[in-house]
Amino acid sequence: MRSLWLERFVRCFFFLCALGAVIVTIGIVVSLIGEAFRFFARVSLFDFLFGLTWAPRVLPTGEAVGFGAIPLFTGTALITLIAMLIAIPCGTMVAIYLSEYAPTKIRQTVKPLLEILAGIPTLVYGFFAATTLAPLLRNIAETFHLTIASESAINAGLVMGIMILPYMTSLCEDALHRLPLSLREGSMGLGATSSETIMRVLLPAAFPNLMAAFLLSLSRAIGETMIVVMAAGLAANLSFNPLQAVTTVTVQIVNLLTGDQEFDNAKTLAAFGLGFVLFILTLILNILALYGIKKYKRIHG
Amino acid sequence: MTFKMDVKQLNLFYGDKQALFNVNLGLPALQTTALIGPSGCGKSSFLKCLNRMNDIVLQAHVEGQVLLDGQDIYAPSVDVVSLRTKVGMVFQKPNPFPRSIYENVAYGPRIHRLFKTKSELDQIVEKSLVRAGLWGEVKDRLPQPAMRLSGGQQQRLCIARAIAVNPEVILMDEPCSALDPIATAKVEELIDELREKFTIVIVTHNLQQAARVSQQTAFFHSGYLVEARETGALFTTPHDERTQGYITGRYG
């Protein structure tokens, strides 16, 4: 009898824990939507989503102008793209080495190191970007007679790529290492070499989990703020030139919220508008990717 | 008698631990040899020596000779990749790749470039599936994932995959231990048919199976090859008392 009551209690307790997490999530979304709608009452959704100039200010007449968010989203996209161009190929290749080629000793040493590296505060990477990489990039650009802004998209993107790399590598390595030995044996038993086994059997088999790793890394890149503040700046240029200064959505959110403005100021509320759109975009991205993974699994079993 | 493979004074070590001791065994061409013995006796390890699958295991170390058509497969000049096309392997648990039925069989021919045109590859795939007795069941759904087949079908697919590269010897490591009796009967029937073209070595825990499918049986115990003879003779008049004890069910 006693154990039955205990079972019931434990069950209820864990259910409440789970419920709590869900309720908090819903609460966050609702509050975000609420503030976002207050913002869209002052600035039209169309002007916000398709406006090409980001220079938010409230005129003495009370009119809010310069709330075009396009430059912020292109900036985010540009920096994220550069970061992923670094992190995806490097991360996958390092993971393949660690999982398939490295002796057990190296793997056991490098894996925890990677995890420590993944835990370094991004601020530290920001310092690296500002003090080491920026001058280096300027020197390189000068040899090719190019002009590069002291704060540039490529600088932020590169450092962000380096920042994500350990995280990405660790996730990809898990995805590969988790594959059963029987797959490797099956392939080797047919006379395949290690590289053929990796390319033709292991990578396709791990593909859904690799995609999940890319996605998690992508989310981190999109959400990253500190590196961009230090390396790419605050200038909302609408540009796809990686040598120019750009800014991102998250940086502008921080920028809007710091300062001593009233909380129902259009500028402050714009932060929620940006947050809301960012939220929707990452949600769509996640759903699409999950759908893709599911479809892949259905086709390939 | 001509031996397809001939093992001479084979010793196998995993690190400091010795797994096989002075094993001598000839495998007659186009016959099935069954390897029996209690768990941990070294029969699976022995099987893996025959196509150097132990190379994948770190710290495995082999002494002695394993001759395939008179050539030592452990000689430094031997290419492990081409060796494994000659000596194929089917594993204990069916291990199809997570791809289509067609791609599973086409895998070996693709990596070894055994065809010139797509229709040649189609023929190889069909022929292998026919030989593995699976063609009738899968011919209408070749593009479907192999993982959706039943366990018995998956194992026959793995056999088809192994014979698609035209091996001369096929090694089977307890191929039926994960299958139900009906699927087992089909695979056993298949082994009997395959003997026309291939030399087969099968590890099994099932003594009836050994008696049904093999012409030669080798009994292993604690890393030693105790007795290897014509199957009927070994089961009716075992020479060694350990063999006698094992086949009458006193231990193992």
Side-chain angles (χ1 to χ4, degrees), chain A residues 103-104 181-193 196-197 200-201 204-205 296-301, chain B residues 48 51 53 56 58 81 84-85 87-89 91 95-99 107 110-112 145 147-148 161-162 165:
Chain A
T104 324
L181 182 67
S182 66
L183 278 183
R184 298 178 177 87
E185 282 184 338
S187 176
M188 304 288 239
L190 286 167
T193 60
E196 284 165 340
T197 304
R200 290 164 181 261
V201 178
Y296 180 88
K297 275 187 178 162
R298 203 166 53 233
I299 294 171
H300 297 271
Chain B
K48 287 184 177 173
N51 72 341
M53 282 304 274
I56 299 177
L58 295 167
V81 166
R84 290 191 188 135
T85 62
V87 186
M89 188 147 191
F91 297 84
N95 59 347
F97 305 131
R99 313 179 80 177
Y107 182 79
R110 276 193 205 281
I111 55 177
H112 299 299
M147 293 298 188
R148 264 189 238 158
R161 188 174 70 181
V165 292

